[in-house]
Amino acid sequence: MSLEDLGTSLCILIYHLYERYKASHQAFRELCFRTRISFNEADSAIATAPSKLVGTTWYSEIVKRRAAMQEEIKGQHSNEVEETVDLVKSLYPNGCTLSEFADSVQTCTAMLSFTVSESLINSMISKQGEILERRRVNALSAKDLADSMVESLLVDSFVPLRWWTVYPKNLTFATLKRIGVALDPPCLCLEYTDEKGRLRHRAIQLKGHIAATGPTGPLTRRVLETHDVLVSEMQLQKSLVKLQRLIEKNASEKNAAAVSNAKTTTSLHSSAPAQKAASPKSDPIESKSSKKEAQKADLGLLYRDPEKALENVDLNEADEVTLQEFKSAMDQKFKEKVLKPGDEGYVYDRRVEIQKPTKKSDWDDSDSD
């Protein structure tokens, strides 16, 4: 027995959960919840990886469920089962060899009155072919071929995609008590009792998945895939609509507050010119004094931070050594900015055309004696 015997869909879910949850016990607990099987601490210690699940009571229980489901499907589709068996026996009364197995299956399925997906046919041929080769079976009787088609092809074609949520039908695993909604971040809060009557809570995070407007159908179906153990589609739909209204109300309140703040700011700005006009004219002497004063030449600052030392420096009172050091720094700074032949942007003999003045300037007139 292996996980593949549980079907592709359940295998995908198992590997997804163990990939999503870093801790294996969390993955196993979620797997038990999704498949509606009681969580077992002893199993949790064993189920450290998907491959280890085969040795757990969870695996034994899920295998029993699948077998019971398959028998139920056979009973529900007894006409199709009978048709398949009769067709195989009429076309291949002596059975077939291993090399003829694939062609035999393809021929029989093509003549059935109901449709079986091609992907399922190819999967069945590949899987059953490997099993027969492993067992070194060289030929199949008509009964073996018919049984193989019924068990691995016919029944599987009628198995629901998420069969573990459907069979058994009347299994009560958890009971929902109430559903709450939260806004920041947006989520649904489920309160329920588990199979042992213990009160539990579960949050379904919806940030980035729900908006104030728009259809909730796609999101409902998506959430239902993982939480149909607890909630019905109708309950989920109502809760999502309620959350949408809450998001819309919150957005409206924020917009109203923003408009109010904007009006207040505009009112303050509109009153500012009147205050400016009423204020006395600034004193030009005070304005000059408010300008940044020239800093004295600081030789220590020049060594630590040349850029800052050279900014608006006054060298009038500097001694000879300080003066020479500052001049040397200024020359160095000038040379760094000078474009030399070979530098990017250097142009030899740059000439600039000066446009004629459009306005008369006093500089153009010389004073007459």
Side-chain angles (χ1 to χ4, degrees), residues 18 21 50 93 104-105 111 114 169 197 220 225 242-243 261 263 265 299-300 306 310 331 340 345 352 358:
Y18 273 85
Y21 295 97
S104 302
V105 173
M111 299 183 67
F114 53 92
K169 294 180 179 179
T220 300
E225 287 182 0
K242 182 179 179 181
L243 181 56
N261 291 336
K263 288 182 178 179
T265 305
L299 200 57
L310 293 174
D331 290 340
K340 300 181 290 297
V352 180
T358 57

Side-chain angles (χ1 to χ4, degrees), residues 263-273:
K263 288 182 178 179
T264 303
T265 305
T266 304
S267 177
L268 291 174
H269 286 173
S270 62
S271 62

Side-chain angles (χ1 to χ4, degrees), residues 14 20 30 61 67 96 225 344 354:
I14 290 170
R20 178 182 177 185
E30 185 67 16
E61 177 64 25
C96 67
E225 287 182 0
E344 184 178 354
I354 306 298

Side-chain angles (χ1 to χ4, degrees), residues 162-179:
R162 301 177 65 250
W163 62 267
W164 57 91
T165 65
V166 182
Y167 290 90
K169 294 180 179 179
N170 299 321
L171 177 64
T172 302
F173 177 74
T175 304
L176 182 69
K177 293 295 184 181
R178 56 181 176 172
I179 305 177

